[in-house]
């Protein structure tokens, strides 16, 4: 329920910005995936900074160039990729609590490393949920449309608690290779040598999005070759699944992944490491390591 009538007006929508929360679990039976923020840790941290519940809806922005104007007093925080932040031209810190008055303008520059920025506002983005979530699912076409210039985003009622910190330490990001741990299976026996996944390096393709990170071979990384040409019956696909099409170039599924698929899954990135892939940009190297519990 809204009480203040305040909104965030989108002056510039950035390269690709969507409303995201933590998704809509419980709809697999209807063919609908969870979706939600690709970097869940970044969104939940931004929400904690402004005193929201971790699941409150915020803005996910690719690389930056997002400009918002508050129509009334608002409390915001920006996390994720380290895009430069200004309020009315004054530089502000990433991971800090930002207090905006009516008419003030929050602007994100272009992040030099990383890929996705997150903006939380105290009270959350108060748009109508679809199947219990305010997230945009780009594969299913559910939820609010991507942001456009001139859109007005209602701010919800503020929570009872106030932010407990003014600044949160954030993990450093770089253009160095992203290392993630993988549990082989369930279809690793469909490949001549599934451990080739761990050989050499892979490179994020420009053909990557919220559905998945497509990888090209880099350096001495061998293609993953199947043992035969038989077809695989359609089966479930979890978050982090590494699906291998006939080209041998793996795709790691992210938030908007399909819930079923027909290509074999050689392994799955463990849940704790999926957020790191959310920040891997095209051209960046990725290294897989075998997961050892």
């Amino acid at each position: 329920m809204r009480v203040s009538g305040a909104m965030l007006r989108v002056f510039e929508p950035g390269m690709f910005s969507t409303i995201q929360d933590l998704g809509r679990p419980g709809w697999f039976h209807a063919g609908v995936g969870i979706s939600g923020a690709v970097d869940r840790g970044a969104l939940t941290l931004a929400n904690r900074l402004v005193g929201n519940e971790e699941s409150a809806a915020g803005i996910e922005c690719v690389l930056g160039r997002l400009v918002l104007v508050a129509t009334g007093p608002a409390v915001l925080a920006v996390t994720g990729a380290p895009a430069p932040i200004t309020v009315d031209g004054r530089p502000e810190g990433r991971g800090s609590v930002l207090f905006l008055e009516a008419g003030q303008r929050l602007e994100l520059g272009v992040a030099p490393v990383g890929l996705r920025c997150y903006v939380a506002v105290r009270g959350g983005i108060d748009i109508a949920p679809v199947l219990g979530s305010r997230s945009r699912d780009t594969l299913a076409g559910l939820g609010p449309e991507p942001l456009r210039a001139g859109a007005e985003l209602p701010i919800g009622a503020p929570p009872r608690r106030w932010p407990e910190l003014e600044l949160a330490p954030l993990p450093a990001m770089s253009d160095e290779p992203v290392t993630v741990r993988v549990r082989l299976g369930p279809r690793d026996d469909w490949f001549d040598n599934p451990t080739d996944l761990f050989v050499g390096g892979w490179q994020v393709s420009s053909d990557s999005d919220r559905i998945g990170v497509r990888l090209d071979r880099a350096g001495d990384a061998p293609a993953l070759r199947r043992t035969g040409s038989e077809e695989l019956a359609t089966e479930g696909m979890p978050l982090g699944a590494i699906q291998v099409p006939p080209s041998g170039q793996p795709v790691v599924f992210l938030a908007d992944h399909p819930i079923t698929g027909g290509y074999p899954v050689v392994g799955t990135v463990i849940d704790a490491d999926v957020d790191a892939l959310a920040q891997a940009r095209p051209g960046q190297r990725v290294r897989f390591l075998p997961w050892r519990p």
Side-chain angles (χ1 to χ4, degrees), residues 187-210:
R187 300 300 179 190
D188 52 315
D189 57 348
W190 279 56
F191 298 89
D192 287 332
N193 189 1
T195 57
D196 280 348
L197 184 70
F198 307 124
V199 176
W202 302 87
Q203 190 172 44
V204 177
S205 166
S206 59
D207 188 19
S208 299
D209 52 24
R210 284 181 46 86

Side-chain angles (χ1 to χ4, degrees), residues 184-246:
L184 285 179
R187 300 300 179 190
D188 52 315
D189 57 348
W190 279 56
F191 298 89
D192 287 332
N193 189 1
T195 57
D196 280 348
L197 184 70
F198 307 124
V199 176
W202 302 87
Q203 190 172 44
V204 177
S205 166
S206 59
D207 188 19
S208 299
D209 52 24
R210 284 181 46 86
I211 296 170
V213 175
R214 188 177 299 275
L215 299 172
D216 297 324
R217 283 178 288 178
D220 57 351
L224 295 168
R225 291 184 168 81
R226 287 171 49 171
T227 57
S229 59
E230 65 272 24
E231 297 297 324
L232 178 69
T234 298
E235 56 188 5
M237 292 289 143
L239 180 70
I242 306 172
Q243 189 182 66
V244 185

Side-chain angles (χ1 to χ4, degrees), residues 85-170:
I85 304 166
T86 61
V87 173
D88 281 356
R90 181 185 69 249
E92 298 285 357
R94 188 172 66 110
S96 61
V97 180
L98 308 174
F99 296 88
L100 273 65
E101 298 297 333
Q104 286 195 300
R105 168 174 166 150
L106 171 74
E107 183 168 355
L108 304 186
V110 177
V113 293
L115 187 63
R116 293 179 170 92
C117 310
Y118 291 84
V119 180
V121 58
R122 182 171 171 77
I125 304 297
D126 188 22
I127 57 175
V130 176
L131 299 181
S133 170
R134 295 175 170 87
S135 287
R136 175 64 178 181
D137 184 330
T138 59
L139 179 65
L142 290 176
E145 293 293 327
L147 301 191
R148 56 178 177 77
E152 293 189 334
L153 308 177
I155 300 173
R160 292 186 176 182
R161 65 179 184 178
W162 273 93
E164 298 177 0
L165 297 173
E166 293 184 357
L167 178 67
L170 299 179

